[in-house]
Amino acid sequence: MKSEQSTAMLTQSVTRALGILSCFTNEYPELRVIDFAKMLNLTQSNVSRLLTTMVSLGYVIKDESTGYYRLGNEIITLGGIALNHYEIRKQALPELYETEKKTGFDANLAILDRGTLFYLAHVDSYTSPRMYTFIGRRNPLHCTAIGKVLLAYGNAEETEELLSNEPLKAYTDRTVTDKAKLYEQFDQIRKKGYAVEEEELALGRACLAAPVVGRTGKVVAGISISGALSKMNLAERERELASILVEMVDRVSMKMGHISVTY
């Protein structure tokens, strides 16, 4: 009986510790004890004990001058280990760098994870380097070029479920939130072999994306090039940029073991 109780208490502590880590977001990179307590519905004393342990292990850092906590260096270590063991990232990264050099636009690699777009790699355009990392960020599927690619080439039942879980959010006045229109776009994506997105997620931005196919013939990821709408000038350059993108993605697919058969 005592053993079962100890196991239950340990499981609860692990769950709460992971809950604390999950409270950190791009919007809230630093939090106080009272913030964790409110977000997790725990007492401040419980949160303080957990944080003390997590600080000692390096998973959380406390700023003694302000009392705020942020993620620790052990999280960076674990993130690096995880990234280094994604085969798709290892195969795609050199191609992303070459594509950025050739086009002058950002190059991105992302996969489908828990109903969202999850970025595994990002190469900044030399003309507009970011002050933050794009790796590990999440974006919605229905209004991003890579997201549309993954939905278009994904399992039909899974795609329907992903689009039906909750109302599709409009991020700009150009975001497509009607499922019927999205399915029409998916048909066009499969015909052309790539997706186009203009100002659906953010005003002034455009993106082209194509699917990476694995050795089993299934789409395992999406790769895109993106940049300022005015610089990409898709009205005149879509075919040129799409050709560069598709050729690059085909090389990545071959590296992943996909053999293209033509007749």
Side-chain angles (χ1 to χ4, degrees):
M1 187 67 175
K2 287 184 178 180
S3 177
E4 291 180 0
Q5 289 177 339
S6 297
T7 300
M9 291 178 63
L10 180 60
T11 300
Q12 184 182 65
S13 295
V14 171
T15 301
R16 288 176 173 177
L18 292 174
I20 284 176
L21 294 178
S22 297
C23 288
F24 293 105
T25 64
N26 285 310
E27 292 73 29
Y28 299 102
E30 295 185 325
L31 295 164
R32 302 165 299 172
V33 169
I34 191 173
D35 299 321
F36 292 113
K38 289 179 178 179
M39 295 169 78
L40 299 173
N41 195 27
L42 297 173
T43 65
Q44 291 188 48
S45 59
N46 280 337
V47 170
S48 293
R49 284 196 295 271
L50 286 167
L51 285 169
T52 298
T53 300
M54 296 172 76
V55 167
S56 69
L57 295 173
Y59 292 102
V60 175
I61 294 174
K62 181 181 181 181
D63 186 330
E64 297 294 344
S65 64
T66 64
Y68 278 83
Y69 293 83
R70 67 179 188 274
L71 291 173
N73 293 336
E74 285 300 315
I75 298 298
I76 300 174
T77 299
L78 292 176
I81 293 170
L83 281 173
N84 290 337
H85 283 77
Y86 269 102
E87 183 64 23
I88 180 64
R89 186 174 188 273
K90 287 190 283 188
Q91 300 298 347
L93 203 51
E95 300 289 350
L96 298 185
Y97 279 108
E98 284 300 315
T99 301
E100 184 278 326
K101 288 180 182 178
K102 186 177 292 187
T103 65
F105 297 118
D106 296 353
N108 316 280
L109 168 70
I111 59 173
L112 175 63
D113 180 67
R114 292 187 293 165
T116 64
L117 200 61
F118 184 77
Y119 290 90
L120 290 178
H122 171 82
V123 176
D124 281 335
S125 164
Y126 71 93
T127 60
S128 56
R130 298 173 188 268
M131 299 302 292
Y132 60 87
T133 180
F134 214 67
I135 301 169
R137 293 175 70 94
R138 294 179 183 274
N139 268 335
L141 295 167
H142 68 285
C143 56
T144 54
I146 295 182
K148 291 176 188 285
V149 160
L150 296 177
L151 290 171
Y153 287 94
N155 176 275
E157 291 183 2
E158 183 179 2
T159 293
E160 176 61 27
E161 183 178 350
L162 288 170
L163 293 176
S164 302
N165 282 338
E166 55 188 45
L168 300 176
K169 180 179 177 180
Y171 291 84
T172 74
D173 59 3
R174 300 196 62 176
T175 305
V176 178
T177 58
D178 180 79
K179 285 203 304 181
K181 291 182 179 179
L182 281 173
Y183 277 106
E184 290 177 4
Q185 288 187 352
F186 297 161
D187 289 337
Q188 290 301 311
I189 291 168
R190 288 188 290 266
K191 289 177 182 177
K192 294 194 299 184
Y194 65 92
V196 179
E197 179 264 308
E198 295 183 80
E199 297 190 297
E200 289 191 47
L201 181 63
L203 294 175
R205 301 289 296 180
C207 188
L208 295 175
V212 178
V213 183
R215 58 176 51 88
T216 65
K218 293 183 178 180
V219 170
V220 295
I223 292 179
S224 70
I225 53 176
S226 60
L229 182 66
S230 58
K231 289 184 178 180
M232 292 197 78
N233 188 17
L234 294 182
E236 296 182 9
R237 300 190 63 192
E238 178 180 331
R239 181 173 296 182
E240 169 204 346
L241 294 174
S243 177
I244 294 172
L245 172 67
V246 171
E247 286 181 12
M248 180 264 283
V249 172
D250 284 347
R251 290 195 297 271
V252 177
S253 295
M254 289 179 65
K255 289 181 180 181
M256 291 298 293
H258 176 64
I259 300 175
S260 179
V261 179
T262 58
Y263 298 94

